[in-house]
Amino acid sequence: MAKLYTTNEYCEYAERSIFAGTPLSGICVAEKVQKENIGFLGCGVAITGSSCYNLNLMKKEERRALLENLYTEKGLGFNLARLTVGASDYSAELYSYDDAEFDTELKHFSIERDMAYIIPVIKEIKEINPNIKFLASPWSPPGWMKTGGSIGGGYMRRKYLSCYADYLVKYIEAYRDQGIDIYAVTPQNEPETQQSGTMPACIWHPDLEAEFVLILKAKFEQKGINTKIWLLDHNFSSVKRVMWCLEEYPELAGALDGVAFHYYGGNVTETECILEKYPSLSLHFTEGGPRLYDNYATDWCKWGLMMIKALKAGYSSFTGWNLMLDETGGPNVGPFFCGGLVTRNYVSGELSFSGQYKAFRHIAPFINERSEIHPLSISGQEDVMFEYNGKRGYSVEGVAIDNDDGKQTLILVNPKEAKTQVQYEKDGEWYYIELLPKTIATIVFN
């Protein structure tokens, strides 16, 4: 038996018939490709300061219902969350944990600013899902560790690498004292940009990033800290930087556990070379979210394609951007116009859900740490030139997920304007599947 769930314009789930029989001619065939299973860590979003600010405005029972929808098996089943180390561009205020100039002994280090509404929200989520894992990313070291002396922009200085490693150690220890264990850290969010000083940011030379990882790893070992380190935390197009660091510093691969990427530049397939040469490392999608002005509620195919492409490339986790923002994309201190996974109207309190949320709904509940993920190779994907309209076309994408409960799930994304038929062979039977235009389909074999 199989069930097919499709997403349409109104995000309803429609059960549709699938028949098993002999293969039909003239229809695309989906083939499960065997690939080494590297394990899947989880899905989630970033619990930014702005997200916590908006969540804190909700009535307790309403907030609880939303978080249970996101973090339990009743809903999306998120088991991963990204935290910001200090302020980011999506924060209600600007700060680091030690803004006392040249306090190299970190005597003034404090997470007190997080205690008002950030840590309480994180604790509530952890209470709902005790198994959740937290990734932490800093947007900027304290300004006095950088050129220019500001939290906005500037370059990291080599003389403060050891001090900054102590700063991250203190952060991990302070959060652990609050009952929040940090599973992994990245040295810097987007180390190749400073955003013209309009938001917390810092540029890192590749040499400094590599040297810092080695220093940080040594301090983790001295302190008995098991937190993992993921390199980069920037665009797919920065993969050459990653490969250069790994080749230039042969000891770096042993100090790292993974590499983190964003989708703002390049293609996810560019990063597959890392796993080919360094199979001990894992790849992680750590940032990407909807835009309020760009099909906010209906871009599920975009996010379905991005998630599927990441899974097919061997990624071990997928984390979106802000959990919640208001109807203006705030509060924020950056130059961007992002939307949250969920939008809360500041005046009415009404919630609305993004296309990314709807894409997660089709994928996140069906994949876990014990899942075996297999790319689907779909034949017959050549585009008909007669239909060419000057826009870049995208083909059907899919993965097969084998779970330890005996169920197999197919996730298929049809971004085309037309209905598409595919066939899938399972246990000697052929299954015929109709994919409506611009839909994600989740097929569960019981």
Side-chain angles (χ1 to χ4, degrees):
M1 177 183 179
K3 289 185 178 180
L4 169 64
Y5 303 94
T6 61
T7 304
N8 62 20
E9 183 176 357
Y10 304 101
C11 194
E12 297 171 342
Y13 299 99
E15 186 173 326
R16 309 183 67 82
S17 62
I18 302 176
F19 65 84
T22 57
L24 303 175
S25 61
I27 297 178
C28 299
V29 176
E31 176 187 3
K32 186 171 77 171
V33 178
Q34 294 298 324
K35 191 172 183 179
E36 182 181 355
N37 178 38
I38 60 172
F40 189 76
L41 184 62
C43 293
V45 287
I47 309 173
T48 58
S50 294
S51 297
C52 294
Y53 176 86
N54 283 296
L55 286 164
N56 192 61
L57 297 176
M58 298 178 70
K59 294 179 180 178
K60 184 176 180 180
E61 61 273 15
E62 293 176 350
R63 181 176 63 249
R64 184 78 178 195
L66 173 65
L67 294 178
E68 287 181 352
N69 174 269
L70 297 180
Y71 293 99
T72 72
E73 293 181 356
K74 294 187 296 184
L76 272 63
F78 282 164
N79 59 350
L80 186 63
R82 189 180 185 213
L83 309 179
T84 67
V85 181
S88 73
D89 48 329
Y90 281 87
S91 292
E93 49 190 329
L94 284 174
Y95 64 97
S96 78
Y97 296 128
D98 193 340
D99 291 321
E101 285 196 355
F102 311 117
D103 179 22
T104 54
E105 295 182 10
L106 302 176
K107 292 181 178 179
H108 299 278
F109 181 95
S110 173
I111 62 167
E112 186 63 31
R113 299 282 279 273
D114 290 358
M115 298 297 293
Y117 53 86
I118 294 175
I119 285 178
V121 167
I122 296 171
K123 286 183 176 180
E124 186 172 357
I125 291 172
K126 192 172 185 295
E127 179 184 335
I128 291 169
N129 182 356
N131 297 318
I132 192 168
K133 293 181 172 63
F134 295 104
L135 157 69
S137 301
W139 263 243
S140 175
W144 50 269
M145 295 187 186
K146 307 187 296 177
T147 61
S150 170
I151 195 175
Y155 294 71
M156 184 64 192
R157 302 182 66 187
R158 177 176 275 113
K159 65 186 289 186
Y160 292 113
L161 290 182
S162 181
C163 180
Y164 189 46
D166 290 333
Y167 177 94
L168 287 186
V169 167
K170 280 184 170 291
Y171 165 78
I172 291 169
E173 291 176 336
Y175 262 61
R176 184 178 60 199
D177 290 343
Q178 293 297 320
I180 303 166
D181 291 323
I182 303 301
Y183 177 81
V185 294
T186 62
Q188 170 67 44
N189 172 74
E190 300 185 348
E192 293 187 330
T193 181
Q194 60 172 337
Q195 300 296 347
S196 302
T198 56
M199 55 174 266
C202 181
I203 292 180
W204 285 65
H205 190 281
D207 277 322
L208 264 67
E209 186 181 19
E211 292 171 23
F212 178 72
V213 167
L214 297 175
I215 293 170
L216 184 62
K217 181 66 173 180
K219 289 184 182 290
F220 280 1
E221 291 177 346
Q222 291 169 6
K223 292 278 190 176
I225 294 174
N226 296 321
T227 300
K228 300 180 184 300
I229 305 173
W230 298 347
L231 195 68
L232 189 67
D233 214 5
H234 209 169
N235 294 336
F236 299 137
S237 54
S238 298
V239 66
K240 290 183 179 179
R241 170 190 173 117
V242 173
M243 296 300 285
W244 181 88
C245 286
L246 290 168
E247 292 165 5
E248 188 72 14
Y249 294 83
E251 68 274 39
L252 187 61
L256 290 170
D257 299 278
V259 185
F261 286 100
H262 304 174
Y263 86 127
Y264 307 114
N267 191 295
V268 66
T269 56
E270 297 177 57
T271 65
E272 292 179 349
C273 61
I274 297 174
L275 293 182
E276 292 171 3
K277 190 164 185 180
Y278 300 95
S280 64
L281 299 179
S282 55
L283 301 180
H284 303 273
F285 185 102
T286 51
E287 185 181 306
R291 296 186 287 263
L292 282 178
Y293 60 85
D294 185 15
N295 302 302
Y296 171 79
T298 58
D299 63 350
W300 50 73
C301 281
K302 170 185 174 179
W303 292 109
L305 286 174
M306 187 67 259
M307 293 178 201
I308 295 302
K309 287 177 180 290
L311 291 174
K312 293 177 77 169
Y315 275 57
S316 294
S317 70
F318 195 100
T319 308
W321 195 198
N322 296 276
L323 188 163
M324 175 182 283
L325 297 175
D326 66 23
E327 73 279 11
T328 68
N332 76 78
V333 294
F336 306 112
F337 201 53
C338 296
L341 181 80
V342 181
T343 294
R344 181 184 184 274
N345 186 284
Y346 184 82
V347 177
S348 69
E350 181 182 1
L351 300 183
S352 54
F353 295 81
S354 65
Q356 187 184 62
Y357 169 91
K358 297 159 190 174
F360 269 126
R361 186 67 185 85
H362 270 278
I363 298 171
F366 303 96
I367 188 169
N368 56 58
E369 292 179 337
R370 299 173 300 281
S371 298
E372 291 187 11
I373 304 166
H374 305 276
L376 290 181
S377 174
I378 302 176
S379 63
Q381 291 294 290
E382 293 78 17
D383 292 323
V384 179
M385 289 305 297
F386 177 78
E387 299 175 353
Y388 182 76
N389 62 2
K391 298 180 181 179
R392 183 179 177 184
Y394 292 91
S395 298
V396 174
E397 294 275 4
V399 291
I401 302 169
D402 292 328
N403 285 315
D404 60 355
D405 59 2
K407 295 181 180 179
Q408 183 185 89
T409 302
L410 305 185
I411 312 291
L412 296 167
V413 183
N414 177 26
K416 298 175 179 291
E417 298 282 355
K419 181 172 68 174
T420 300
Q421 294 91 11
V422 299
Q423 287 186 104
Y424 180 69
E425 189 274 332
K426 175 178 169 57
D427 301 329
E429 299 276 14
W430 285 93
Y431 291 84
Y432 167 81
I433 305 165
E434 284 199 346
L435 304 175
L436 298 179
K438 294 188 175 297
T439 59
I440 305 174
T442 302
I443 302 100
V444 180
F445 291 91
N446 294 316

